[in-house]
Amino acid sequence: YTNSLQSPFKKHKTMARISKNGNLSGAVGNLVFVQNGKEQYVRSKPHKVKQSAETKKAASVFGWVSSRDKEYRRVVVEKFSLLTDSRYAARHRARMAKTLGTPNPVPPATGELSFQNPEALVGFDFNTHLLWEKATQFYPEYTLDELGNVKVKIPALHWGKQIKSPKKCKTAHLKLEAFSLDPNAEPLEITAISSVSFLISPTQSQEATSWDFVLPTNKPWIVVLGILSFDLGLSHLSAAETTSTTYLWAKNSANF
């Protein structure tokens, strides 16, 4: 059996093995023998793809973004104790790539790569098990003057209207966190600027209010996180199903 199979491939190094059931498994020349349950099939080896200058550049940019985004995510998640889903890292990396300063970024070796447009982060959900748009129905208004004063107008918040809870949850904790950072700096550090929190339930609403804070001068990105968590109450939901976090607002003060 073995000899009969060797002759067609005598010019190639044989790396396949004979399994207990008598089938081949592994590579023979340019062919690969694959066992899938009770079935066996043969496929050709994939050809090596020669990278062009463009694909090499894209790979270099992707690697730079991945490395910087990993550090960015670490400091943000640790700073604010955020709950995330298992696939948020890849989604966040894609969002961070959209904040790059040029539409066709160059490799980092030139020193010209930088994150510049934080507005691309707005609307990103850290936890897709409870989307922000599903749990809320309110939209703060932001104004920023030339002196770096930010005023956030928060509308009235009512249970079942602006705050939409999962079943059997009876209380919502809403927190808005403002922070600043320079995403291109090393080491990457976050400065907490201000925060405001509210408690909303079927018997407790929050009237319209204003939240004011002043921007620091040493870090260009200003970001507002929205963090909403519901008490489990009598529900059997997990924390992932009762917590929602998103970027509500983001600006680069260097553009003002």
Side-chain angles (χ1 to χ4, degrees):
Y1 179 83
T2 304
N3 290 337
S4 64
L5 283 175
Q6 285 179 344
S7 57
F9 312 108
K10 60 184 178 181
K11 294 183 180 180
H12 303 281
K13 184 178 180 180
T14 302
M15 300 179 66
R17 300 177 181 177
I18 300 178
S19 62
K20 293 181 180 180
N21 58 12
N23 291 328
L24 280 177
S25 178
V28 179
N30 292 324
L31 301 178
V32 179
F33 291 80
V34 181
Q35 187 75 28
N36 185 9
K38 296 182 180 180
E39 298 182 356
Q40 185 181 46
Y41 60 91
V42 181
R43 58 178 173 82
S44 61
K45 283 185 177 180
H47 295 288
K48 292 183 178 180
V49 178
K50 186 177 180 180
Q51 283 192 315
S52 65
E54 287 299 314
T55 57
K56 288 180 180 179
K57 183 181 79 170
S60 179
V61 171
F62 177 83
W64 185 85
V65 171
S66 297
S67 176
R68 297 298 298 163
D69 178 66
K70 182 178 181 180
E71 178 64 7
Y72 174 96
R73 284 186 285 106
R74 183 188 67 79
V75 296
V76 171
V77 170
E78 289 182 1
K79 182 73 173 179
F80 301 108
S81 301
L82 302 183
L83 186 149
T84 63
D85 63 58
S86 61
R87 297 183 179 181
Y88 95 102
R91 295 185 293 103
H92 195 280
R93 181 172 58 242
R95 281 297 187 100
M96 280 296 283
K98 293 182 178 180
T99 73
L100 289 171
T102 58
N104 297 301
V106 294
T110 66
E112 296 181 24
L113 264 184
S114 65
F115 299 116
Q116 296 185 23
N117 306 312
E119 293 89 344
L121 295 177
V122 174
F124 175 83
D125 282 288
F126 283 80
N127 172 34
T128 55
H129 297 293
L130 183 60
L131 300 176
W132 185 266
E133 288 190 354
K134 182 178 180 181
T136 69
Q137 193 63 41
F138 72 94
Y139 307 93
E141 296 180 3
Y142 306 84
T143 57
L144 172 63
D145 65 23
E146 65 278 3
L147 298 178
N149 300 306
V150 180
K151 181 180 291 291
V152 184
K153 293 183 178 180
I154 303 169
L157 304 174
H158 300 282
W159 189 267
K161 294 182 179 179
Q162 288 76 28
I163 303 297
K164 299 180 178 296
S165 75
K167 291 182 179 179
K168 297 185 178 181
C169 293
K170 298 299 182 182
T171 307
H173 301 264
L174 173 64
K175 191 171 188 178
L176 306 185
E177 293 275 6
F179 66 91
S180 65
L181 78 162
D182 182 349
N184 302 299
E186 293 186 21
L188 197 157
E189 298 177 345
I190 283 181
T191 299
I193 302 174
S194 179
S195 67
V196 63
S197 58
F198 308 99
L199 187 67
I200 303 101
S201 71
T203 59
Q204 181 175 344
S205 298
Q206 173 62 47
E207 297 304 315
T209 187
S210 179
W211 172 39
D212 302 336
F213 56 88
V214 180
L215 303 182
T217 58
N218 59 336
K219 295 179 181 177
W221 277 23
I222 309 100
V223 181
V224 174
L225 276 176
I227 306 169
L228 180 65
S229 59
F230 293 92
D231 287 344
L232 297 181
L234 299 176
S235 75
H236 298 288
L237 300 175
S238 65
E241 295 172 297
T242 55
T243 304
S244 184
T245 303
T246 191
Y247 294 109
L248 287 175
W249 185 74
K251 293 290 181 182
N252 187 342
S253 61
N255 296 332
F256 300 141

